[in-house]
Amino acid sequence: MDLEKHPAAPAPAPGPAPSGLRASDADRDRIAQILGDAVAEGRLTAEEHSERLDTLYAVKTVGELEVLVRDLPAPGGAHAPSAYASPYAGAGGPAAETIVAVCSSSSRRGRWRPGAHTRAVSVMGDITIDLTQAVFEQQVTEVNVTSVLGNVEILVPENVTLRGYGSGVLGNFDVRGESRGQTDPLAPVVIVRGFSLLGNIEARPKPGARLVDLARRLRKNLDT
């Protein structure tokens, strides 16, 4: 019997995620940031950015995500910092937040900093998420909503791009952003994903509410 000790084989070095691996929220956030930098730098037009962002939330695997940025610089390269950085950077909001209303009501409004991901759960309750005065510290803000015999209302400024992906069973899922006025091509994007069971989920621009200094501030960041 061979009692000689042999050194353990070294662990394989970590590499990039396999292209067939299912994409995670972090994967999508990374690609969204690259796309945001590209449109701010003039590498993509607003229309190209919108098309790629739609695809970003439709595809399933890491490989499909990488196709969207294969003609763009990798993050951390020698190009301008993201134009979507907040003028209040450093005070940062949470990476994720959960809002719950069970036979009660809850709201987020005023001058607040939403995280990249917000989850709202309403069970026979009411939730209001008002983003009209929010300080956006990322290009894409995603709100995941579940409503069971409850009501969830999401309000955004008129010049913020609003998109929705969801459904309802004996309930309502209504995102009204695509036909409301002219959005700013440099504005943040709010994605609402949701499921309503005997409840109501509604997301819409608030009339008269605009991030009026947004484009000017972002373009100023590019020039500095």
Side-chain angles (χ1 to χ4, degrees):
M1 181 172 60
D2 185 4
L3 298 179
E4 183 181 355
K5 294 182 178 179
H6 298 280
S19 61
L21 189 68
R22 298 278 292 195
S24 67
D25 287 341
D27 293 326
R28 297 183 195 279
D29 289 346
R30 176 176 59 86
I31 299 301
Q33 184 62 57
I34 296 174
L35 294 176
D37 288 342
V39 70
E41 295 164 14
R43 301 178 190 273
L44 293 176
T45 66
E47 292 75 15
E48 290 171 330
H49 175 258
S50 179
E51 290 173 1
R52 295 195 190 195
L53 200 62
D54 282 338
T55 304
L56 170 67
Y57 287 94
V59 300
K60 303 295 184 183
T61 68
V62 172
E64 291 172 310
L65 290 180
E66 295 295 343
V67 169
L68 298 175
V69 295
R70 64 186 175 186
D71 59 343
L72 300 174
H79 60 284
S82 172
Y84 298 92
S86 167
Y88 305 97
E97 181 178 5
T98 299
I99 305 170
V100 179
V102 179
C103 298
S104 62
S105 62
S106 184
S107 66
R108 294 290 185 275
R109 63 179 76 242
R111 196 74 168 172
W112 65 296
R113 293 176 170 82
H117 298 278
T118 297
R119 178 167 174 77
V121 180
S122 173
V123 181
M124 299 178 67
D126 293 301
I127 294 177
T128 299
I129 300 176
D130 189 340
L131 297 167
T132 56
Q133 297 181 49
V135 178
F136 293 90
E137 298 190 329
Q138 58 279 326
Q139 182 213 354
V140 178
T141 297
E142 185 168 328
V143 184
N144 289 276
V145 184
T146 301
S147 176
V148 180
L149 292 168
N151 180 69
V152 179
E153 182 181 39
I154 301 167
L155 301 173
V156 303
E158 286 187 321
N159 54 331
V160 165
T161 300
L162 178 63
R163 292 188 174 90
Y165 307 91
S167 60
V169 175
L170 299 177
N172 179 57
F173 179 85
D174 184 17
V175 175
R176 288 174 282 163
E178 299 298 337
S179 61
R180 278 271 194 159
Q182 182 65 42
T183 59
D184 192 313
L186 290 180
V189 177
V190 176
I191 305 289
V192 179
R193 298 179 181 274
F195 174 73
S196 173
L197 175 62
L198 294 168
N200 178 64
I201 299 172
E202 180 181 354
R204 58 183 174 83
K206 184 176 180 179
R210 294 180 61 84
L211 297 180
V212 294
D213 65 337
L214 181 66
R216 181 169 60 252
R217 186 176 70 233
L218 297 182
R219 292 188 178 97
K220 182 179 179 180
N221 288 345
L222 286 178
D223 294 337
T224 57

